[in-house]
Amino acid sequence: MTWFIDVASKVIVGVAVTPHQPARDAVLAALRTGISRADPYGPFGGLPGRVRVDRGKDFLPKAVSRALGGFAVRVDDLPAYKPYRKGTVEALNGAVEEMLLVSLPGYTRRARPAEVYRPDPVEELLPYADFVKVLLDWVAWWNTEHRPAGCVGFSRRRSSMASGGVSAGC
C-alpha cells in the first residue's frame, strides 16, 4: 500500500494497492488519486502546497519530485530511518494494521503461542481483488466516518489540502 495523507485533516487523499512491493507505478498512481478530486477519487485531495516523502527505496522521492515539479509543489525528502519525522503516515500505518489487517485471514503478526502457530490455509485467504475492495472500503470509512483525535468537530471535507501539507509513505 502506498498512501498520501493530509496532515491537517488526517484524510487519506491518495492510495495505491499493488500485488508487488511498492514501486514507481504505485507511487505515481497514489499521487494521481491524491491530486484528482473527480470521481472515483474525490472529493478529498487536490494540489498540495508541500509534500514530505520518506527515503525508502520503494517510494522513489525523485519520481514524486519530477511529477510535482511542473506544479511548483515543494517536496521535502525526509532523512532515512527517522520515523518520528513522518508521524502522521506512521500513525496511519499503525491504524490500518490495528483496525483492519489483524482481522483478515493470513495476517501473520497475530499473537499466538509459538507451539500453536499454524498458518491460515491458502483457501481461506482473500483473493487480491477482494482484499483491495476491503481496503478501499476501509479508506472510505476512515475519510468519512472515523474521527481521529484532534479532528472532532472539524470538517475534514473542507480542510483537505487546506493546510498545504501532505505526508506520504508505504
Side-chain angles (χ1 to χ4, degrees), residues 109-132:
R109 291 191 254 185
R110 189 173 303 135
R112 301 178 192 178
E115 65 276 357
V116 183
Y117 176 73
R118 286 183 299 280
D120 292 327
V122 172
E123 58 273 1
E124 292 181 14
L125 300 178
L126 287 176
Y128 176 71
D130 293 345
F131 170 74
V132 171

Side-chain angles (χ1 to χ4, degrees), residues 5-167:
I5 184 168
D6 180 73
V7 295
S9 65
K10 310 297 188 266
V11 167
I12 300 168
V13 295
V15 63
V17 185
T18 56
H20 54 75
Q21 286 292 325
R24 186 174 188 265
D25 62 335
V27 172
L28 294 177
L31 181 60
R32 179 176 186 264
T33 65
I35 291 173
S36 178
R37 296 180 92 172
D39 282 338
Y41 308 116
F44 305 109
L47 194 60
R50 177 180 176 191
V51 174
R52 298 171 20 173
V53 296
D54 66 16
R55 294 179 60 147
K57 65 178 180 175
D58 50 45
F59 201 82
L60 304 170
K62 289 180 184 175
V64 174
S65 294
R66 280 191 214 113
L68 292 174
F71 298 110
V73 173
R74 179 178 162 189
V75 177
D76 295 336
D77 190 8
L78 297 175
Y81 307 108
K82 306 279 190 223
Y84 62 87
R85 298 286 305 268
K86 53 186 177 112
T88 304
V89 79
E90 292 296 334
L92 174 62
N93 290 338
V96 73
E97 186 169 353
E98 291 175 19
M99 299 171 136
L100 176 68
L101 299 180
V102 296
S103 66
L104 299 178
Y107 180 75
T108 58
R109 291 191 254 185
R110 189 173 303 135
R112 301 178 192 178
E115 65 276 357
V116 183
Y117 176 73
R118 286 183 299 280
D120 292 327
V122 172
E123 58 273 1
E124 292 181 14
L125 300 178
L126 287 176
Y128 176 71
D130 293 345
F131 170 74
V132 171
K133 181 177 181 346
V134 167
L135 180 68
L136 294 179
D137 288 347
W138 184 87
V139 168
W141 169 82
W142 175 272
N143 284 349
T144 59
E145 297 175 39
H146 177 63
R147 295 290 174 253
C151 289
V152 177
F154 186 67
S155 174
R156 296 173 94 187
R157 182 175 292 231
R158 279 188 294 127
S159 71
S160 178
M161 307 306 283
S163 68
V166 176
S167 284

